[in-house]
Amino acid sequence: MKAVRIFVRSVRDALKSSIRNFSLSFASIMCTTVTLILVAVAIVCAANVEKATKSIEDEMSIVVYLNQNVTEEQIKNVEIDIKSRSMVTDVIFKSKDEWKMELAKYSTTFETAFNFIGENPLMDSFTVKVDDIKKLSDTAKYIETIDGVETVKYGEEMVETIITIFDVLQKVVLVIVVCLLVVTAFLITNTIKLTILNRQSEIQIMRLVGANNATIKLPFIIEGLIIGIIGSIIPICVTIYGYVILYSRLEGHLFTNMLQLIKPYNFVFAVSFALVIIGGLVGMYGSLRAVKKHLKI
Amino acid sequence: MKLIELKKVSKTYPNGVTALADISVPINKGEFVFVIGASGCGKSTFVKLLYREEKPTTGTVTIGGLNVGKIKNGKVYKLRRKLGIVFQDYEIKLLTKLTVYENVAFALECVGMTGKEIRPKVMKALERVGLKDKVRSFPNELSGGEKQRVCIARAIVNDPKILICDEPTGNLDPETSQDIMRVIENINNELGTTIIMATHDLQIVDRMKKRVLIIQKGVLTDDIPPGQYKAPKKEKGEIKKDESSKDIC
């Protein structure tokens, strides 16, 4: 009970102090706000990039065309060889007759052309899927070497460009966010340092009347936490309203239907929760640094 | 019964200044002891050793059987809960945004007491120092003597075994100083609290007829029993720093 009373008192003191030193706290709150807005943007981007990568992975496949005169046995051997690769998740065979029927159904021009040629000019094929988009290129190169394989198609340039863009984007955002978090923690450290200097008499009295170290330090740590949490309010609103509006404006996808955005419900609340936690942790980290450095007990 | 004991205590600060050298003195429970000497002779260091603001360089300081110098920094608060401490600079030591009541209650809130436990203790302490009618006043509405009495109330609110006073009348006029001394003497007489008071006000020391420890240049030169100390004749009022060093040290 005593611990609870001391905690409640610390929260009360921290709130009072935040209000009393509002002009000082305001700068830290604003810095936290700006940082957390960027963190929110980063999280939203990263999550959507992740989702896009996943859907591209699902869509991306290798199409393996076999030689014209390939035998049934050779087809079986190619299939076994492809399936033996650990990264291969799915292999679907389509015979040249199936291709012919499909194309003839799709357009009468093809049907006329096939009738004119007489024999089927198409090739048997396998559609191969892999578990990681980054392994697409290597897998394709391997399949190309298998006996009976004529050619392999997998949109190599597009895949590599997308992977590079996403990788760079994620790294840049991560670096920016880490830098901003450090700056915010530093600002909060300064705010709490000034609070500590402001309250030297109080700290001195607390020491002399026998308050333990935790009781003296706790209000400052909670003040940092409060700054962090208040700083996360605007970013949460921006995330919730911003993402919902963005989602409805873009009709749920970016550029193409392949790049579907994450549905707002649940996602925005998860991001908001993350923002509160990050804000609180950065605030507490900043105040802990200040307490460690400037509060000599 | 010995409550405080200093055995061969020396204190040398990191800058090489020796504030106290080889001091040994026992203090009994309920005693009222003055520590006098010129400015810079080691009085403040003496009291700082008692509330473990400083650690002795050599020797031991024992309070109630506890070796104060051995207490870890994180555990000093346990010792301080048994002590009351009053300083000269009451202006700094009162929280200006709190009322008299809140200033005294602050000491108990810090150690986690409830409002119900705090109220009677605070009222009792304020009554003892004669400030019961000023509970709602703010420090800037009080005189110097009243502010110092608030500090005393805060120091005794937790019923300490020892009250340590470092020049509590230093900033007060003689009449107010006498009032403060009456309050402290009452605490000693009625509550049985052991009082250790560092001062350079020899007139007060003379009038109070208590045990006197005289420190000169960090050395305990005299331990005068109650009623035997006589202030130097020349000095009628509060002695000045240079004069005190001439007459005492």
Side-chain angles (χ1 to χ4, degrees), chain A residues 2 5-6 9 12-13 16 20 201-202 204-213 215 297, chain B residues 51 53 73-74 77 80-81 85 87 92-93 95 97 106-107 109-114 154:
Chain A
K2 200 180 254 189
R5 275 199 297 276
I6 287 172
R9 187 178 167 276
R12 191 192 66 196
D13 280 0
K16 268 189 196 169
R20 207 182 295 156
S201 292
E202 201 175 323
Q204 181 76 350
I205 293 166
M206 288 172 93
R207 289 176 64 229
L208 293 175
V209 298
N212 61 28
N213 292 356
T215 309
I297 299 176
Chain B
Y51 63 88
E53 186 69 11
N73 284 347
Y77 71 93
R80 300 227 172 121
R81 285 183 190 180
I85 307 163
F87 293 98
I92 303 167
K93 300 300 177 204
L95 300 172
K97 288 177 180 167
F106 183 76
E109 283 176 11
C110 287
V111 296
M113 282 196 186
T114 61
R154 190 178 59 205

Side-chain angles (χ1 to χ4, degrees), chain B:
Chain B
M1 186 188 157
K2 261 186 264 176
L3 181 63
I4 302 168
E5 188 167 28
L6 281 78
K7 270 189 190 167
K8 295 184 174 295
V9 171
S10 296
K11 174 68 190 176
T12 304
Y13 286 103
N15 61 4
V17 173
T18 299
L20 292 175
D22 202 30
I23 289 195
S24 293
V25 60
I27 295 169
N28 290 331
K29 194 178 172 191
E31 257 194 301
F32 193 131
V33 181
F34 282 108
V35 182
I36 63 169
S39 292
C41 72
K43 296 189 300 285
S44 290
T45 303
F46 183 93
V47 294
K48 278 180 182 172
L49 288 172
L50 299 179
Y51 63 88
R52 215 338 218 101
E53 186 69 11
E54 298 290 348
K55 280 183 182 179
T57 312
T58 58
T60 55
V61 178
T62 314
I63 296 180
L66 186 75
N67 187 344
V68 173
K70 294 264 187 221
I71 301 173
K72 287 180 184 164
N73 284 347
K75 301 286 176 194
V76 173
Y77 71 93
K78 287 184 178 174
L79 168 76
R80 300 227 172 121
R81 285 183 190 180
K82 293 175 188 161
L83 308 175
I85 307 163
V86 181
F87 293 98
Q88 179 178 356
D89 49 350
Y90 50 80
E91 291 285 358
I92 303 167
K93 300 300 177 204
L94 284 181
L95 300 172
T96 51
K97 288 177 180 167
L98 303 186
T99 62
V100 166
Y101 178 89
E102 289 165 340
N103 262 288
V104 179
F106 183 76
L108 300 178
E109 283 176 11
C110 287
V111 296
M113 282 196 186
T114 61
K116 271 185 185 173
E117 290 168 323
I118 290 171
R119 188 161 179 83
K121 278 176 170 278
V122 173
M123 293 314 289
K124 212 168 122 188
L126 285 172
E127 193 176 357
R128 188 164 291 285
V129 298
L131 285 178
K132 211 178 172 184
D133 54 335
K134 299 271 185 182
V135 283
R136 288 194 181 139
S137 302
F138 284 90
N140 60 2
E141 296 162 358
L142 304 176
S143 67
E146 286 171 331
K147 283 177 192 169
Q148 191 60 294
R149 280 193 275 163
V150 178
C151 289
I152 295 170
R154 190 178 59 205
I156 61 164
V157 73
N158 208 13
D159 302 322
K161 290 187 174 122
I162 303 164
L163 182 62
I164 297 168
C165 309
D166 193 358
E167 306 269 12
T169 58
N171 288 346
L172 303 172
D173 59 72
E175 207 173 311
T176 314
S177 297
Q178 278 196 36
D179 284 346
I180 294 297
M181 288 316 299
R182 263 195 293 274
V183 169
I184 295 173
E185 193 174 24
N186 283 342
I187 292 166
N188 177 240
N189 290 338
E190 291 168 20
L191 302 177
T193 310
T194 307
I195 313 278
I196 315 289
M197 182 186 292
T199 183
H200 62 263
D201 190 338
L202 302 185
Q203 198 188 27
I204 284 177
V205 179
D206 193 344
R207 202 172 34 244
M208 295 288 288
K209 312 287 180 207
K210 304 289 183 187
R211 182 180 171 192
V212 180
L213 304 177
I214 301 175
I215 297 176
Q216 291 182 36
K217 292 178 182 170
V219 178
L220 180 69
T221 55
D222 231 331
D223 183 352
I224 304 169
Q228 292 186 18
Y229 176 78
K230 290 269 181 244
K233 273 186 182 175
K234 276 183 192 174
E235 308 304 328
K236 288 289 178 192
E238 194 177 325
I239 57 168
K240 287 173 188 167
K241 284 176 192 172
D242 53 344
E243 288 169 335
S244 76
S245 65
K246 205 191 299 168
D247 290 322
I248 299 169
C249 296

